[in-house]
Amino acid sequence: MNDSKGFGDNGHRGAFGEEFIRMLATAANLDVTRKERDRVGVDWQLGYAGRRGTRRFPAIEAQVKCTSSPDIHDDHIRYPLKLKNYNQLAGPDYEMPRFLFLVLAPADPFAWSYAKEDHLRLSHAAYWLCLHDRETLPPDNRSSTGTRTIHIPRANLLTVDSLHDLFAEDYRELVGAS
């Protein structure tokens, strides 16, 4: 097989990260809507119908980032998030909870997926973080592309079950969404 260096680019990796989230949300039986214009820091809206006697049509919003060079520590992943993106996720003043979903992907695009007749494996994993309890930050005067390093707990592995947990009523109350 030919070496894939130069085959992928950031747009290619970003598309993989977004489709990784779509596949996971679909496996969780959630409705997934892509935001065509990323004007407010949201790539996806996820929701479901809800059951009679419960909250009807709950939804969350997510910004998706994908990296092939994660800075992994014992209990967290350090990630340099652009200030613009940080400020679009920080604070409690949103109609619905907002999350950062960080997808970790292999450096080689040919290793992103492995398909056989009986299964499809996507590599590697995704993690979530909510910044509702953080203050927005003033723009970095040194450059227009300043970053804020965030720490995403490795315990926040994004799975079908943890996606469902992000819709829990007590979590909605915690982040101030009613």
Side-chain angles (χ1 to χ4, degrees):
M1 184 182 297
N2 292 335
D3 188 17
S4 65
K5 286 185 171 56
F7 183 69
D9 58 22
N10 280 340
H12 183 213
R13 185 177 303 104
F16 173 77
E18 290 191 24
E19 294 307 321
F20 190 105
I21 297 301
R22 179 195 293 265
M23 295 286 288
L24 194 56
T26 300
N29 196 26
L30 297 172
D31 296 326
V32 184
T33 304
R34 170 125 174 78
K35 295 297 193 174
E36 293 301 322
R37 295 178 65 193
D38 182 6
R39 297 187 305 174
V40 294
V42 173
D43 295 313
W44 295 101
Q45 187 177 82
L46 294 80
Y48 65 100
R51 295 182 316 278
R52 186 175 294 265
T54 66
R55 173 172 296 283
R56 300 298 307 268
F57 307 106
I60 62 173
E61 295 179 323
Q63 183 174 109
V64 179
K65 298 295 181 188
C66 186
T67 183
S68 293
S69 55
D71 184 3
I72 300 176
H73 297 262
D74 287 339
D75 64 345
H76 69 276
I77 301 163
R78 288 173 43 101
Y79 183 75
L81 186 62
K82 288 182 182 176
L83 280 178
K84 173 187 172 215
N85 299 127
Y86 179 92
N87 284 335
Q88 290 172 327
L89 294 168
D93 301 327
Y94 295 104
E95 185 67 28
M96 63 188 76
R98 284 189 169 194
F99 298 90
L100 172 69
F101 291 164
L102 179 64
V103 177
L104 309 185
D108 180 358
F110 284 118
W112 290 351
S113 66
Y114 178 74
K116 293 187 78 166
E117 284 187 14
D118 61 342
H119 71 273
L120 170 65
R121 184 187 75 209
L122 300 177
S123 293
H124 291 300
Y127 296 85
W128 65 270
L129 181 68
C130 183
L131 299 171
H132 77 279
D133 59 347
R134 314 272 177 91
E135 295 291 325
T136 57
L137 300 170
D140 186 342
N141 292 330
R142 295 170 303 198
S143 75
S144 61
T145 59
T147 62
R148 170 68 177 225
T149 299
I150 56 173
H151 296 104
I152 303 170
R154 290 184 64 195
N156 290 4
L157 180 66
L158 199 58
T159 66
V160 167
D161 288 336
S162 67
L163 264 174
H164 288 167
D165 290 346
L166 297 181
F167 287 89
E169 194 65 35
D170 56 343
Y171 193 81
R172 293 181 66 80
E173 289 172 11
L174 176 69
V175 299
S178 37

